[in-house]
Amino acid sequence: MGIEIEDKFDVSPEYAVPDLSGLADVVGPKSYQLVALYYDTPDLRLASRGVTLRRRRGGADPGWHLKLPKAKGVRQEITHPLTRSTKVVPDELAELVRAYTRGAELQPVAELDTRRTVTVLLDGETGLVEIADDRVKGTVYGEEPKVVRWREVEAELLEGGSQALLAKVGKRLRKAGASPSEAASKLAKLLEPAPLPTAPTKPGSAGEIVIAYLSGQVKALLSQDPRVRRAEEDAVHQMRVASRRMRSALKAFKTVVVDTGELQEELRWLGNVLGEARDLEVIRARYAKMLSGLAPELVTGPIQTRLGSDLQRREEEAYGRIKEVLSGERYYVLLDALDELVSAPALGKAAAKPAEEKLHAIAVANWERVTKAYDHAQAIDDVERREIAMHDVRKAAKRARYTAEALQPSLGAGMGKLAKLSEDIQEVLGTYQDGVVAQETLAKEAESARQAGEDTFTYGLLIGIERNAAERAHKEFPRVWKETLKAVTKVL
């Protein structure tokens, strides 16, 4: 796996790659013949999302290549050794595009036969930038195969290079007559997938702003899907955040986008599926940090095994359940519903109203939910019930934060400030709640250890540390709340 950062240029058949000396040591040119077979669903679901999956022969890196978009000019590349079969995509790669294929069959859709001439810029033996001059023959499969020929130049950043050097290379290529390519890949130039449908919203309206935000979160969720399947660091957290943000937005903007109750429940279901592994991941890291901070003589019994490898085993089991869900029909139906949400949403009357007028009022209403939840909690005499009600304050603060973050690009810095203030409330209450949950988990683990005849001294020590941290957050909250109320009045 690697990150591919490159600039692509369209050039004429007569184009001459300019002299690149002076930028670094120049090695080449050297030529290769590359033949790549591209796979997609019959309706080009991968190509429409900027994803490419190919089997390539020739050159320095033959094999299967899956490229997933991350940002403009940046793609994540995952490789797999070359297989004999040209008809069957390796299971490992087919699994990583299920969020796009959703059960549809992958088949060859096109072939690219490329004569590539490569020049490399080096610093000693370290590669900086690779310039590939490609003469391409592209064939689109179908009842009547279509053949297209063109020439293009790519400048790709290598491990030792810098964005500044890549920019200098691009400048020389443009000066020699190259023009930046509008196509994200060769396949995008060859195939013509139907564009993804977009919602018919009015420019400058509340509907336009809300649908644009939701569309961004759908893309974020889809981009994390392959990373979750590979159990990459922070992927489950990011996918869970995207699902939570969408659910929160659908609640907050219910007068803009209507009839989303069922979709909200499905997003809640997905968040819960992801949450098991995420919570175990967080608590395992939390305990590891706490244990590492103790003097060795204070760590007794096999506590590191119970709070380390045992939790990791449970986390891995949770990942297995996630992967099973992500390959199931219920998940595919949810993804289809999200596509429909951003392409053909059910819009309410508020969607046509001017964005600033309507959405500012929604931001105010969501902050008022926080203050109402707080007032309700403080009116409860029973301490235990009051603490439970304060958890609702935290949830309201999170929704107010997500709402403000969604509106910051359109309504400006005030929403950014409101998001930060809401986050302050959320974090203080979260620190307290996390400490309470951590104590409960430690108590359960201590009881298991006690029944197994193990020394439980360190469990008690950790429970004490967690209790002190939770109590500090509890005492700090009144000050944070008072300061936040004062600051919010200046924003709203």
Side-chain angles (χ1 to χ4, degrees), residues 287-336:
Y287 293 151
K289 182 178 180 180
M290 292 173 69
L291 287 170
S292 67
L294 295 178
E297 62 270 18
L298 298 178
V299 181
T300 62
I303 186 171
Q304 290 172 314
T305 298
R306 284 194 177 275
L307 300 184
S309 56
D310 285 0
L311 287 176
Q312 185 170 12
R313 175 184 51 78
R314 289 168 54 191
E315 185 183 331
E316 290 169 354
E317 291 171 353
Y319 264 101
R321 288 188 285 274
I322 288 174
K323 291 178 181 179
E324 185 177 342
V325 164
L326 296 190
S327 297
E329 188 62 28
R330 184 175 179 179
Y331 178 59
Y332 297 156
V333 171
L334 170 57
L335 294 182
D336 289 343

Side-chain angles (χ1 to χ4, degrees), residues 181-304:
S181 177
E182 295 183 0
S185 66
K186 289 181 175 63
L187 190 65
K189 186 174 293 189
L190 182 62
L191 297 179
E192 297 179 358
L196 295 173
T198 56
T201 53
K202 181 180 178 182
S205 66
E208 180 189 41
I209 299 302
V210 171
I211 295 302
Y213 175 76
L214 289 169
S215 179
Q217 295 308 312
V218 172
K219 289 179 181 177
L221 188 147
L222 287 173
S223 71
Q224 294 302 323
D225 179 285
R227 299 186 64 238
V228 169
R229 294 174 191 271
R230 289 169 59 88
E232 292 184 27
E233 184 179 358
D234 204 40
V236 165
H237 173 58
Q238 293 301 327
M239 191 175 188
R240 188 188 188 192
V241 166
S243 66
R244 282 180 163 180
R245 287 180 184 275
M246 280 189 278
R247 183 165 170 253
S248 177
L250 293 176
K251 287 175 179 285
F253 304 119
K254 62 184 179 182
T255 59
V256 178
V257 184
V258 299
D259 300 329
T260 63
E262 184 176 344
L263 180 54
Q264 290 178 39
E265 283 305 305
E266 290 303 283
L267 287 169
R268 181 174 179 271
W269 161 73
L270 179 61
N272 288 339
V273 169
L274 298 167
E276 182 184 6
R278 173 58 182 170
D279 291 345
L280 287 167
E281 179 183 70
V282 169
I283 204 163
R284 182 167 60 85
R286 182 187 188 101
Y287 293 151
K289 182 178 180 180
M290 292 173 69
L291 287 170
S292 67
L294 295 178
E297 62 270 18
L298 298 178
V299 181
T300 62
I303 186 171
Q304 290 172 314

